[in-house]
């Protein structure tokens, strides 16, 4: 019988640590629901002790998601661990993931602790955590660059204290596949009680080898858990990408001989949701989820695929959620057809009222755009007005004038706490003028750190999807807006970001 490979998703924790990728509580819940549809085994929902916002997000996810194990990260101290346990109280299956750095560099320069102090603290914290929850994961941070004798000593001790999963991070993405695989193998062979824990890999992508290193940790090292994120989201060059690791193990079952619990048909929707929420665009040639991942442009390839698809395709596009880019709904489609399509796309709305709000937007869009694609529907439901973020600002209407050689002007009408206001401004371009028109009233003082426009379904007839990232007093938020008119989409995205900036429900502090 094949062993099972546990998929541990850390999009909401390590992924979110990526600068600019911070998410609101509701956004995290929406992504957690998608991860549940994907059937990931463990969801690392956050770092409960790092901020009130993170605590609330872990708690909300623990109370709402019933199929996956819900995990919170915590430093190796009693306060962090107690906070994690408290946030996880409502979970069907809870895991505490505690970590402390073990490399000489981190211990000396960052922690300013001796190896003996780190050893004692690791042991003590696992013992403390084990009294609160049965499922304990321990990570020696910067494990791959740690002294192997010291690492063996620490890991043996924490397994004796009750750690059930041992995760070996390549925190800085320094590893090489063969070396990392052998490192895990050596640890497992040398540690006498290594068979009492599940071994896990956690690789960063600084040298572009996070997936390869993780797979080597599995194949050579015998690890049976992979830590990964949707789209490889994460600090610096990111983490191991879930979709790539999962599809490698599935497609090359002949080599890995491992079972997965993942329902891969939900991969693309998860990728889009994470990209839309964070504003981190997926590159077109990204494996599995990039727009070109299954596109065959050359005549020879097209001819081959038409004759027999396995001439050039090793995976089936539909197995990861791609559907032919066909018109799915139109102006005459009713609410039931719309609801059915949402279900097929794996989108679960909170209530009938949410479905009604999304359907009203769909009708509005169908009046202006004759062909509605899946991408349009996904953009509609990612819009904040159908989520639970309290809207302080709402878009009403926009007019703008631009002509070659003239300075563009924009007039915008939007609501502030339900009351309509009108703003006017000029600007370098129509988008600049529109956003400045909003600021004539709001005076947010926020700095724009990202502005990006993306054509949702690829042609000039498609909707533009705009992401705006704003920063103010140490907080960074993303707003997303979509509309066939990209100036309107920009204004919607800007208002959406302002709503988040002002929302109390959002994170209140950066991760520590
Ligand atoms: O990269 C890392 O070392 C981590 C640990 C906290 C697991 O994310
Ligand atoms: Zn990490």
């Amino acid at each position: 019988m094949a062993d099972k490979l546990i998929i541990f998703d850390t999009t909401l924790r390590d992924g979110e640590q990526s600068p600019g990728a911070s998410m609101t509580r509701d956004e995290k819940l929406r992504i957690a629901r998608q991860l549940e549809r994907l059937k990931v085994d463990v969801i690392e929902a956050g770092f409960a002790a790092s901020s009130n916002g993170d605590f609330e997000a872990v708690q909300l996810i623990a109370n709402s998601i019933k199929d996956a194990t819900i995990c919170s990260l915590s430093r190796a101290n009693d306060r962090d661990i107690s906070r994690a346990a408290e946030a996880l109280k409502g979970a069907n299956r809870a895991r505490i993931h505690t970590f402390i750095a073990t490399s000489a560099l981190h211990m000396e320069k960052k922690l300013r602790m001796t190896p003996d102090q780190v050893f004692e603290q690791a042991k003590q914290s696992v013992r403390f955590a084990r009294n609160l929850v049965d499922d304990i994961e321990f990570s020696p941070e910067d494990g791959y660059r740690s002294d192997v004798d010291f690492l063996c000593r620490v890991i043996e001790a924490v397994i004796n204290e009750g750690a059930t999963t041992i995760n070996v991070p390549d925190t800085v993405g320094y590893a090489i596949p063969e070396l990392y695989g052998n490192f895990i193998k050596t640890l497992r062979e040398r540690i006498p009680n290594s068979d009492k824990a599940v071994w896990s890999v956690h690789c960063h992508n600084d040298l572009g080898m996070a997936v390869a290193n993780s797979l080597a940790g599995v194949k050579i090292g015998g690890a049976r858990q992979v830590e990964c994120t949707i789209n490889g989201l994460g600090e610096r060059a990111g983490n191991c990408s879930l979709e790539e690791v999962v599809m490698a193990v599935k497609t090359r079952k002949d080599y890995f001989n491992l079972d997965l619990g993942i329902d891969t048909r939900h991969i693309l929707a998860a990728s889009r949701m994470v990209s839309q929420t964070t504003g981190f665009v997926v590159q077109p040639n990204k494996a599995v989820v990039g727009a070109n991942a299954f596109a065959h442009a050359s005549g020879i390839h097209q001819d081959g695929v038409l004759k027999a698809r396995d001439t050039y395709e090793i995976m089936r596009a539909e197995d990861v959620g791609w559907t032919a880019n066909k018109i799915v709904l139109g102006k005459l489609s009713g609410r039931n057809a719309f609801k059915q399509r949402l279900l097929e796309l794996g989108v679960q709305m909170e209530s009938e009222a949410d479905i009604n709000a999304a359907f009203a937007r769909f009708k509005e869009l169908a009046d202006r755009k004759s062909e509605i694609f899946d991408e349009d529907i996904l953009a509609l439901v990612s819009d904040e007005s159908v989520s639970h973020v309290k809207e302080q600002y709402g878009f009403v209407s926009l007019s703008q004038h631009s002509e070659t050689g003239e300075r563009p002007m924009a007039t915008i009408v939007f609501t502030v706490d339900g009351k309509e206001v009108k703003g006017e401004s000029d600007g370098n371009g129509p988008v600049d003028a529109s956003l400045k028109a909003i600021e004539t009233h709001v005076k947010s003082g926020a700095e724009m750190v990202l502005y990006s426009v993306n054509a949702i379904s690829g042609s000039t007839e498609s909707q533009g999807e705009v992401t705006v990232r704003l920063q103010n007093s140490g907080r960074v938020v993303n707003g997303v807006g979509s509309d066939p008119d990209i100036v309107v989409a920009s204004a919607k995205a800007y208002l959406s970001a302002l709503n988040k900036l002002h929302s109390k429900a959002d994170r209140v502090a950066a991760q520590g």
Side-chain angles (χ1 to χ4, degrees), residues 13-14 73 97 99 139 141-142 167 169 171 202 204:
R13 196 280 298 171
D14 218 351
L73 185 70
H97 176 191
F99 75 99
S139 287
E141 191 192 5
D142 205 19
N167 179 46
T171 304
H202 178 112
H204 281 264

Side-chain angles (χ1 to χ4, degrees), residues 136 155 159 163-166 188 193-200:
I136 306 296
I155 294 175
I159 295 176
T164 42
T165 298
I166 298 296
R188 289 185 57 233
N193 54 2
S194 67
D195 61 328
K196 304 274 181 310
V198 173
W199 285 74
S200 166

Side-chain angles (χ1 to χ4, degrees), residues 3 65 69 78 85 113 142 145 149 229 232 238 242 257 288 293 306 347 355 377 388 405 436 451 456 481 500 507:
D3 283 356
I65 302 293
T69 295
D78 295 0
M113 288 169 77
D142 205 19
R145 292 195 302 170
D149 293 332
T229 59
L242 179 145
N257 190 27
V288 184
L306 287 176
V347 177
I355 297 177
I377 296 175
H388 295 276
K436 283 189 172 132
Y451 171 79
I456 288 180
K500 288 181 188 164
R507 307 164 48 76

Side-chain angles (χ1 to χ4, degrees), residues 18 24 40 79 86 91 129-130 133 170 213 232 235 238 284 318 387 411:
S18 176
T24 65
V40 306
R79 180 196 163 266
E86 203 185 322
R130 192 59 206 253
V133 170
D170 176 23
N213 288 334
E235 274 185 291
E318 53 271 39
S387 81
T411 304

Side-chain angles (χ1 to χ4, degrees), residues 175-431:
I176 303 288
E178 193 186 347
L179 302 182
Y180 183 71
N182 281 321
F183 189 69
I184 308 282
K185 183 167 182 263
T186 304
L187 293 174
R188 289 185 57 233
E189 282 168 2
R190 283 187 46 185
I191 296 172
N193 54 2
S194 67
D195 61 328
K196 304 274 181 310
V198 173
W199 285 74
S200 166
V201 287
H202 178 112
C203 297
H204 281 264
N205 202 32
D206 298 66
L207 294 173
M209 289 187 281
V211 172
N213 288 334
S214 303
L215 291 172
V218 168
K219 182 70 183 177
I220 305 173
R224 288 296 175 261
Q225 174 175 288
V226 174
E227 303 202 349
C228 44
T229 59
I230 301 290
N231 298 337
L233 188 70
E235 274 185 291
R236 308 182 309 277
N239 285 64
C240 169
S241 132
L242 179 145
E243 56 281 2
E244 292 178 22
V245 95
V246 161
M247 290 316 290
V249 171
K250 182 175 159 126
T251 307
R252 296 307 308 270
K253 171 122 202 222
D254 60 317
Y255 179 70
F256 289 103
N257 190 27
L258 289 168
D259 286 336
L260 288 162
I262 300 294
D263 184 345
T264 60
R265 293 168 306 162
H266 296 290
I267 282 180
L268 187 66
S271 163
R272 289 198 166 143
M273 195 180 277
V274 169
S275 166
Q276 277 169 352
T277 308
T278 58
F280 282 57
V281 176
V282 173
Q283 74 197 54
N285 58 331
K286 165 92 168 62
V288 184
V289 292
N292 290 352
F294 293 89
H296 300 279
S298 92
I300 296 174
H301 285 208
Q302 282 174 352
D303 180 55
V305 169
L306 287 176
K307 285 177 179 147
R309 70 193 284 174
D310 54 0
T311 50
Y312 287 102
E313 276 186 13
I314 57 164
M315 299 171 264
R316 284 156 27 112
E318 53 271 39
D319 286 351
V320 294
W322 288 97
T323 50
N325 201 14
K326 59 183 192 293
I327 306 161
V328 290
L329 292 173
K331 204 175 163 150
L332 300 176
S333 308
R335 189 179 174 284
N336 277 346
F338 178 71
K339 194 172 162 184
Q340 179 59 30
R341 194 62 205 146
L342 286 179
L343 281 178
E344 285 161 10
L345 287 171
V347 177
Q348 198 184 346
M349 311 271 344
E350 298 286 306
S351 64
E352 288 298 309
D354 287 348
I355 297 177
N356 291 342
F359 183 61
R361 288 183 161 264
F362 160 73
K363 280 291 192 189
E364 249 173 57
L365 182 64
D367 272 341
R368 299 162 63 203
K369 189 172 184 288
S370 53
E371 302 175 331
I372 306 277
F373 299 100
D374 283 343
E375 288 83 351
D376 293 312
I377 296 175
L378 288 169
L380 274 178
V381 295
S382 74
D383 196 300
E384 79 167 26
S385 60
V386 290
S387 81
H388 295 276
V389 178
K390 194 176 164 303
E391 263 202 348
Q392 186 176 7
Y393 305 111
F395 175 83
V396 178
S397 66
L398 172 79
S399 74
Q400 47 87 12
H401 178 80
S402 62
E403 212 175 306
T404 313
E406 302 266 311
R407 194 154 167 84
M409 283 295 302
T411 304
I412 182 158
V413 180
F414 62 104
T415 52
V416 182
D417 293 325
K419 222 175 118 238
E420 280 193 13
V421 296
K422 188 171 174 180
E424 273 178 359
S425 177
D426 60 357
N428 284 347
V431 171

